[in-house]
Amino acid sequence: KRKNLTQHFLQDISGIGPKTISKIYKEYQSLEELSKESHTKASKRLNLDNLKVKKIQDLLKEMYN
C-alpha cells in the first residue's frame, strides 16, 4: 500500500519523476497505450533510456493484466 498518495505511482520507479510523467502523458492518450507499445519504440518516442521504459511498462502490464 502506498504511503504518499499525493505522489504518482510511477515515481516509485527510481529515476522517474514529475517531468518524465508529464512527458508520458503528453505523448500517450493513456498509460495502457504505453504498456502495449514496444519498449524500443516507446524509448525513442519519450527520449528515455530503454531500461527505464521497460520498468515502466512492466509495472503497467501488471496493472492492466
Side-chain angles (χ1 to χ4, degrees):
K1 196 169 185 178
R2 292 183 51 86
K3 290 181 182 177
N4 183 355
L5 295 177
T6 60
Q7 186 175 335
H8 195 282
F9 71 93
L10 288 177
Q11 286 181 289
D12 290 344
I13 301 170
S14 71
I16 305 297
K19 288 180 183 178
T20 304
I21 292 167
S22 69
K23 192 187 298 186
I24 290 169
Y25 282 111
K26 284 178 188 170
E27 286 293 322
Y28 293 94
Q29 295 287 322
S30 69
L31 293 175
E32 190 172 9
E33 182 185 341
L34 170 59
S35 73
K36 292 178 180 176
E37 189 166 62
S38 76
H39 69 276
T40 50
K41 193 173 181 181
S43 176
K44 287 178 184 169
R45 191 168 168 185
L46 293 169
N47 196 26
L48 287 176
D49 179 62
N50 259 346
L51 189 60
K52 281 184 189 176
V53 172
K54 184 101 173 79
K55 285 181 183 178
I56 292 168
Q57 286 180 323
D58 288 346
L59 181 63
L60 294 175
K61 284 175 185 170
E62 266 183 43
M63 289 177 56
Y64 290 113
N65 288 336

